[in-house]
Amino acid sequence: MFKKVLIANRGEIAARVIRTCKQMGIATVAVYSEADQHAPYVGLADESYLIGKPRVNESYLNIDKIVSVAKESGAEAIHPGYGLLSENTEFAKRIEKEGITFIGPSADVIGKMGDKIAARNEMKRAGVPIIPGTEQAVESAEKAKEWAASFGYPVMLKASAGGGGIGMQAVSNDEELEKAFEGNSKRAKAFFGNGSMFIEKLIENPRHIEIQVLADQHGNGVYLFERECSIQRRHQKVVEEAPSPVLSEDTRTRMGESAMKAVQALHYTNAGTIEFLVDDNENYYFLEMNTRLQVEHPVTEEITGIDLVEQQLRVANGEKLTFKQNDLTINGHAIEVRIYAEDPNTFYPSPGKLTKLDLPDGPGVRHELAVHSSSEITPFYDPMIAKLIVHAETRDEAIERMTQAIHQYEVEGIKSNVTMLKRIITHDKFKQGETKTTFIQDYYLPTLTNQ
Amino acid sequence: MTEVKASMAGSVWKLVAAQGDQINEGDDVAILESMKMEIPIPSESSGTVKEIKVEEGDFVNEGDVIAIIE
């Protein structure tokens, strides 16, 4: 096993990786920016190095600097965490070139999965369901209608050069399509200088369900079931759970097998996640693959009893997986909530100084922390300051446990989303498993205007 | 005279309006950046920008005055 590992990340994930390294007897190296000097993870590591100014491009994204710290400290491997450089092919290539092990898949696979079109094509080839759509621009409304007939309405029209929702419209019949095609094509031409349009099937009111995979360098791979991550604001997840409250055993197996097809086709190694959109009839469609550890990985660890960071280290070290698919079972139910430093009504960030952080304790309660009770939360990074995870025998018990824990969770000095989390967790629709991607809009935002 | 205030703490990423500009209600005066999120700060009234109180790169707290509209 590696003697020393550098963690090219910050916050709760750096602390999380350090914890497992310590348990395995691996020395750790932390890197930090001027803004993170007093962050808990810096003190947890055996060695720490200042790598630059607060802004990420002057510190955590500075490949040269991180590589030079790895060499200076004698680290044999680098764990990239999530975000930052974790899915950067240049970084993965550079590290390997320097003779250091990158704890993740190959640079080639990271590159393929980072390109939306390449990823879609790879999945199609591997036999993973993708959202039916046109692969080339559709030149006329007439042609668009033919495509729509082949997928079935409703469909989504998308300007190929579009962004920020401009040039995008959902339509549910030929007449709407005809109007929308002309209008959006014109608008896209005016905004982006390119009026070409794509069309794909609209997945209505979907859930976001993802499959965790793990594969070694010897051709062995397993899936560690699913995480339901539908509850999101600003396209960022807020509440995640495992297993999904709705998935049938049959669909779970089919999704897991689809994920394994992707792993085999890509010759994927290390931990990864395949995200799917799932409709009311349990049809599922590939959304994207994340070639790294996910923020919400603890819920999978809680229900499988497997330490994913430990597995990442072992796989990167060339070891074989010591368990097979049949050895894995789902044990109970786990829920994670993300604690964000933000206004719970507008979702605007709220940096500042914490004056209090009082955490619930008890059986089945787990914390992942980026801060301590008097941390300064700077405006330079993501607003997530902590994660609260609970595990229990059943979903109802997990919700009960989370309800108690979140009501004891006290954050003062800044605004946080704790009040929002309380409302989500205790909402009848959450208890009923109505966890759709529209949950916040349909069930949380209305509670604000009823105050 | 009305004040345009910051709706969140963060740094001034871009100033969209300048002193002397005529602006309408809802027009953006500045864009703040915090925690990887950019938030436009619109004026709540129409008028002339009498004064811009901040510079690009400045850190502002929630409620700080960014500009004065007359």
Side-chain angles (χ1 to χ4, degrees):
Chain A
M1 182 45 69
F2 309 115
K3 289 190 181 62
K4 196 184 266 188
V5 167
L6 181 145
I7 297 101
N9 214 298
R10 58 177 301 281
E12 67 88 18
I13 196 62
R16 162 74 192 88
V17 174
I18 291 169
R19 192 169 66 231
T20 288
C21 286
K22 278 188 193 241
Q23 284 162 5
M24 297 173 71
I26 300 168
T28 52
V29 181
V31 292
Y32 63 96
S33 75
E34 285 171 5
D36 278 335
Q37 224 166 330
H38 304 293
Y41 79 91
V42 177
L44 293 173
D46 296 303
E47 293 169 53
S48 59
Y49 293 80
L50 176 67
I51 53 165
K53 294 206 157 74
R55 293 188 183 279
V56 287
N57 51 357
E58 294 176 89
S59 51
Y60 299 105
L61 297 182
N62 185 340
I63 295 177
D64 285 337
K65 185 71 192 170
I66 291 169
V67 167
S68 81
V69 169
K71 297 199 134 179
E72 190 187 333
S73 65
E76 297 156 284
I78 295 184
H79 194 297
Y82 52 68
L84 298 173
L85 293 170
S86 63
E87 290 174 297
N88 183 308
T89 48
E90 194 197 330
F91 183 59
K93 272 187 206 152
R94 174 73 187 280
I95 289 175
E96 295 289 345
K97 211 178 95 195
E98 302 280 350
I100 303 166
T101 303
F102 177 76
I103 302 171
S106 69
D108 176 52
V109 169
I110 296 173
K112 270 185 195 159
M113 293 299 103
D115 173 339
K116 273 194 192 309
I117 293 167
R120 186 182 152 92
N121 291 337
E122 286 285 337
M123 291 299 151
K124 194 177 174 188
R125 249 200 303 277
V128 178
I130 53 172
I131 298 174
T134 56
E135 267 145 50
Q136 264 142 28
V138 180
E139 60 278 10
S140 67
E142 280 311 306
K143 277 265 181 257
K145 276 196 267 184
E146 284 171 29
W147 281 108
S150 73
F151 313 142
Y153 283 105
V155 299
M156 181 67 98
L157 273 175
K158 282 182 177 175
S160 60
I166 296 165
M168 237 168 100
Q169 196 174 337
V171 293
S172 48
N173 56 49
D174 278 0
E175 206 180 322
E176 278 179 31
L177 174 66
E178 212 163 302
K179 270 192 212 149
F181 191 93
E182 303 297 332
N184 285 287
S185 180
K186 240 183 232 167
R187 204 169 304 141
K189 177 113 181 101
F191 273 81
F192 313 111
N194 177 354
S196 60
M197 302 295 292
F198 284 77
I199 159 170
E200 69 180 33
K201 186 167 174 63
L202 178 69
I203 312 302
E204 288 181 285
N205 208 6
R207 290 170 191 269
H208 175 122
I209 299 178
E210 57 190 30
I211 304 288
Q212 174 72 52
V213 298
L214 183 64
D216 66 21
Q217 299 175 31
H218 309 278
N220 308 302
V222 293
Y223 63 91
L224 292 96
F225 313 108
E226 79 279 10
R227 290 183 290 260
E228 162 95 37
C229 311
S230 302
I231 301 184
Q232 309 185 355
R233 62 103 187 81
R234 294 188 357 227
H235 301 290
Q236 269 181 329
K237 298 161 188 165
V238 180
V239 179
E240 299 105 341
E241 59 184 305
S244 161
V246 294
L247 221 54
S248 66
E249 196 53 49
D250 177 54
T251 307
R252 170 172 300 124
T253 307
R254 283 191 295 125
M255 287 178 76
E257 283 168 0
S258 286
M260 294 323 292
K261 277 187 197 165
V263 165
Q264 279 150 17
L266 293 165
H267 301 292
Y268 194 88
T269 56
N270 217 293
T273 294
I274 303 185
E275 300 190 339
F276 293 100
L277 286 181
V278 182
D279 71 14
D280 285 331
N281 299 317
E282 298 198 7
N283 294 308
Y284 58 93
Y285 306 93
F286 172 77
L287 193 59
E288 62 178 25
M289 180 166 196
N290 296 315
T291 52
R292 53 167 167 83
L293 194 64
Q294 301 271 105
V295 176
E296 60 275 20
H297 75 278
V299 292
T300 298
E301 295 184 322
E302 293 300 320
I303 63 156
T304 59
I306 286 169
D307 180 329
L308 285 168
V309 175
E310 178 187 338
Q311 295 304 323
Q312 286 193 293
L313 289 159
R314 294 197 184 284
V315 165
N317 191 42
E319 295 176 26
K320 284 185 180 167
L321 293 182
T322 56
F323 44 87
K324 295 196 159 50
Q325 194 64 51
N326 288 340
D327 299 327
L328 296 170
T329 49
I330 296 177
N331 169 25
H333 198 96
I335 304 175
E336 172 182 281
V337 295
R338 300 188 186 188
I339 314 293
Y340 287 117
E342 69 181 18
D343 185 307
N345 299 349
T346 60
F347 311 140
Y348 284 177
S350 177
K353 192 173 164 53
L354 279 179
T355 53
K356 186 178 185 183
L357 180 67
D358 228 354
L359 303 175
D361 206 356
V365 175
R366 168 174 167 183
H367 295 283
E368 298 294 345
L369 297 173
V371 294
H372 53 68
S373 60
S374 60
S375 284
E376 180 79 36
I377 295 155
T378 68
F380 303 108
Y381 315 109
D382 184 275
M384 194 180 77
I385 57 170
K387 305 186 299 205
L388 166 64
I389 303 107
V390 298
H391 180 227
E393 290 280 307
T394 64
R395 184 169 190 265
D396 285 347
E397 284 166 30
I399 293 174
E400 181 52 37
R401 189 159 276 175
M402 180 58 88
T403 303
Q404 285 179 18
I406 196 69
H407 281 85
Q408 289 163 27
Y409 208 105
E410 290 185 69
V411 180
E412 285 175 19
I414 53 151
K415 291 184 199 172
S416 83
N417 67 336
V418 169
T419 55
M420 171 186 180
L421 295 170
K422 284 179 190 165
R423 287 192 192 190
I424 294 172
I425 295 297
T426 56
H427 201 288
D428 282 344
K429 294 288 182 188
F430 180 75
K431 291 179 185 166
Q432 290 159 16
E434 277 297 310
T435 45
K436 302 286 183 72
T437 50
T438 49
F439 188 94
I440 299 278
Q441 184 194 322
D442 291 348
Y443 305 125
Y444 171 67
L445 293 179
T447 69
L448 299 177
T449 47
N450 293 342
Q451 275 175 329
Chain B
M1 191 189 82
T2 55
E3 291 175 332
V4 179
K5 290 180 179 171
S7 53
M8 68 167 191
S11 58
V12 180
W13 183 54
K14 261 190 189 137
L15 286 171
V16 185
Q19 197 177 325
D21 283 1
Q22 286 293 324
I23 60 168
N24 293 315
E25 181 186 339
D27 286 354
D28 293 336
V29 174
I31 299 171
L32 298 186
E33 197 253 314
S34 185
M35 293 173 161
K36 305 201 299 189
M37 186 176 175
E38 281 120 34
I39 306 283
I41 307 296
S43 172
E44 282 172 14
S45 57
S46 303
T48 309
V49 179
K50 190 178 170 222
E51 194 183 350
I52 300 272
K53 297 278 223 181
V54 296
E55 284 177 37
E56 285 181 6
D58 281 1
F59 187 82
V60 294
N61 281 304
E62 185 177 341
D64 283 0
V65 177
I66 290 175
I68 295 172
I69 312 294
E70 213 169 37

